[in-house]
Amino acid sequence: MGMILGKISVETPKYELIQSTPDYEIRKYPAAVIAQVTYDPTNFKGNKDGGFMLLANYIGALGNPQNSKPETIAMTAPVITKSSEEIAMTAPVVTKSGDGENNTVTMQFILPAKYTKAEEAPKPLDERVVIVEEGERKYGVVKFSGTANDKVVKEKVENLKKWLERDGFKIIGEFELARYNPPWTLPPFKTNEVMIPVE
């Protein structure tokens, strides 16, 4: 019942709150180890979230873990996605944007904090899943509820970009979409964030 009502009961990334305004927050995140997959949604019948199953299989969320140990890895939130489709700037699931030439999506699971180096995480059996380290990073963040559809995300990105530029922050990359809840969570109880990296 808790997941339907938006309860987040898994590990989420720790961060330092640098600044809070009525419009957004500036957060600094420590280095993290990430499992990610980059794909063309047409390989998954047009589903932009098609990479989720590859990552879920890697950690063992749906059965036997598809990694070299095999070791079940705890699910964390958010799932991050980055898309190469042109949305505003081109750009805790994170989705990232690519170069705009092709419509690839990068989906990321942030691995539990016990993994501090990429080589500590079990090696994926599926070569499409890659383990990477991300260094410390700073983001402008807008949190919102509801379904994170393209129209809503585009509006949030445009507003956040405008606010960051107004307040003198230098944007240094594409937006990321962080989704904290499973798809069956009722939309008003979903937690989503649009994150834009800043200097």
Side-chain angles (χ1 to χ4, degrees):
M1 183 74 154
M3 288 196 295
I4 293 173
L5 298 178
K7 182 174 184 195
I8 301 167
S9 58
V10 296
E11 182 181 334
T12 59
K14 306 295 181 239
Y15 60 86
E16 178 186 349
L17 182 61
I18 304 293
Q19 180 179 337
S20 182
T21 76
D23 299 319
Y24 64 90
E25 293 180 344
I26 299 295
R27 300 177 186 170
K28 183 165 73 173
Y29 287 86
V33 177
I34 309 240
Q36 71 179 27
V37 60
T38 300
Y39 55 94
D40 181 337
T42 60
N43 294 334
F44 295 95
K45 299 179 183 169
N47 182 356
K48 283 199 234 174
D49 293 331
F52 183 88
M53 296 304 287
L54 299 175
L55 294 170
N57 286 333
Y58 164 70
I59 67 169
L62 305 170
N64 293 328
Q66 299 300 303
N67 62 58
S68 60
K69 297 260 189 202
E71 175 183 324
T72 300
I73 301 168
M75 182 71 188
T76 64
V79 174
I80 300 190
T81 48
K82 307 175 188 188
S83 170
S84 68
E85 292 179 34
E86 300 253 347
I87 300 176
M89 299 177 56
T90 5
V93 176
V94 174
T95 309
K96 297 187 178 186
S97 293
D99 59 15
E101 300 264 327
N102 54 24
N103 290 332
T104 60
V105 172
T106 299
M107 182 173 285
Q108 300 177 321
F109 281 9
I110 300 166
L111 297 184
K114 74 177 189 174
Y115 301 105
T116 58
K117 301 230 175 286
E119 56 270 11
E120 294 173 358
K123 185 176 177 359
L125 297 180
D126 188 325
E127 63 189 29
R128 295 173 291 182
V129 177
V130 179
I131 306 301
V132 297
E133 293 175 28
E134 278 199 359
E136 183 178 271
R137 56 230 181 269
K138 192 160 61 167
Y139 291 99
V141 180
V142 168
K143 183 181 277 192
F144 61 101
S145 61
T147 301
N149 63 43
D150 290 347
K151 180 180 177 194
V152 169
V153 171
K154 180 177 181 177
E155 177 184 312
K156 301 291 182 191
V157 168
E158 287 172 351
N159 286 335
L160 178 55
K161 183 179 175 188
K162 179 178 65 179
W163 296 327
L164 291 169
E165 289 172 345
R166 171 196 72 196
D167 295 344
F169 287 98
K170 183 176 178 190
I171 295 170
I172 58 170
E174 301 300 334
F175 85 85
E176 300 178 7
L177 172 62
R179 294 175 285 173
Y180 286 80
N181 309 99
W184 55 83
T185 300
L186 297 172
F189 300 107
K190 288 184 176 182
T191 300
N192 308 294
E193 293 174 339
V194 165
M195 308 169 67
I196 297 178
V198 295
E199 265 187 6

